[in-house]
Amino acid sequence: MGVRRVVTGHNDQGKSIFASDEVVEPITVDMLPGAEWFTLWGGDEAPTFPDDGSVPDYKTYFPPLGGFRFGIFTVQPEMEGSMLPENFDIQAAFAEAEHKLPGMVDHLEMENLGMHTTDTVDYEFVISGEVVLELDDGAEVTLKPGDTVVQNGTRHAWRNRTNEPAVLVVVLIGAQRGT
C-alpha cells in the first residue's frame, strides 16, 4: 500500500498552490520480507522551495552533511530460529538492497546484523506496533505508538520482538561529528 504525498508550492504570482498530489510506493527488498521503506522527501543540500512540487535530488538513503530525508519504515517481527532458505542468494540480496536503498548496506555491521551508525540526527515517531531500540552494550528501550526518539549519530539497531510489524516515521538530517 502506498502513502499519499501532497506537496505545496507557489505559482508565478507567488500564491500558494498544490504542486503535486501522488502516491509513493514502498521500497522492499527480498532479504527482509515484509519490511518497507517510504522515501517521501529528501535532498543532499540545504532545502529550497521546489515550487513545481518536484522531489529534490538525492543519491543515497542516508543524507550527507546538510542533506535531509523524510520517510516511513517498517520493522518486521523477528522470527526465532529462522534460517534463510537453502538456495538464498545473499550476494543478489545485498545487490538488490544497494540498488533500491543506495548506501544502506555500507552502514550495516555484518557481524551484528541490524546494528549501524550514521552521521545523522534522526527524529523517529512510532505510529504503530512496538519496537526495541538497542544501543551499545545491549542497552535497550521499548517504544510504543506515540513515543519519539532523537538519535544523535549513535550505534543502534531496531528490534521487533512482537508478532506485529512496527511502523515509524523518520526524519534524517546529515550532521557533522564533533571532535
Side-chain angles (χ1 to χ4, degrees):
M1 178 179 96
V3 172
R4 184 178 179 197
R5 177 182 62 205
V6 176
V7 180
T8 64
H10 301 93
N11 66 15
D12 293 338
Q13 294 76 41
K15 299 288 184 186
S16 301
I17 62 167
F18 291 107
S20 71
D21 185 343
E22 60 189 320
V23 174
V24 176
E25 294 299 328
I27 297 168
T28 61
V29 293
D30 290 341
M31 66 189 294
L32 297 170
E36 298 179 327
W37 290 266
F38 291 87
T39 303
L40 299 174
W41 201 256
D44 284 349
E45 300 175 355
T48 59
F49 299 134
D51 288 330
D52 63 357
S54 60
V55 178
D57 289 331
Y58 60 90
K59 295 174 181 55
T60 58
Y61 182 79
F62 295 109
L65 180 64
F68 59 97
R69 304 289 186 270
F70 169 54
I72 298 171
F73 69 98
T74 303
V75 181
Q76 285 299 110
E78 294 176 357
M79 294 188 270
E80 286 189 41
S82 71
M83 301 296 285
L84 294 175
E86 186 175 320
N87 295 324
F88 188 79
D89 186 341
I90 192 75
Q91 296 300 333
F94 279 115
E96 177 196 24
E98 180 59 28
H99 174 72
K100 293 181 176 179
L101 300 161
M104 181 179 281
V105 172
D106 294 340
H107 289 84
L108 296 177
E109 296 179 14
M110 294 304 142
E111 64 280 354
N112 191 357
L113 286 181
M115 292 299 278
H116 60 285
T117 308
T118 59
D119 291 336
T120 58
V121 174
D122 308 350
Y123 307 120
E124 284 105 359
F125 176 82
V126 180
I127 297 174
S128 64
E130 181 177 299
V131 66
V132 174
L133 176 58
E134 178 185 345
L135 301 180
D136 286 333
D137 301 325
E140 295 183 347
V141 64
T142 300
L143 302 163
K144 297 181 180 183
D147 291 344
T148 64
V149 175
V150 177
Q151 182 119 238
N152 290 297
T154 55
R155 179 177 176 263
H156 67 283
W158 297 101
R159 312 285 188 202
N160 183 342
R161 297 184 180 125
T162 73
N163 295 321
E164 299 295 325
V167 180
L168 292 82
V169 171
V170 64
V171 174
L172 309 168
I173 300 171
Q176 186 171 342
R177 292 193 177 273
T179 53

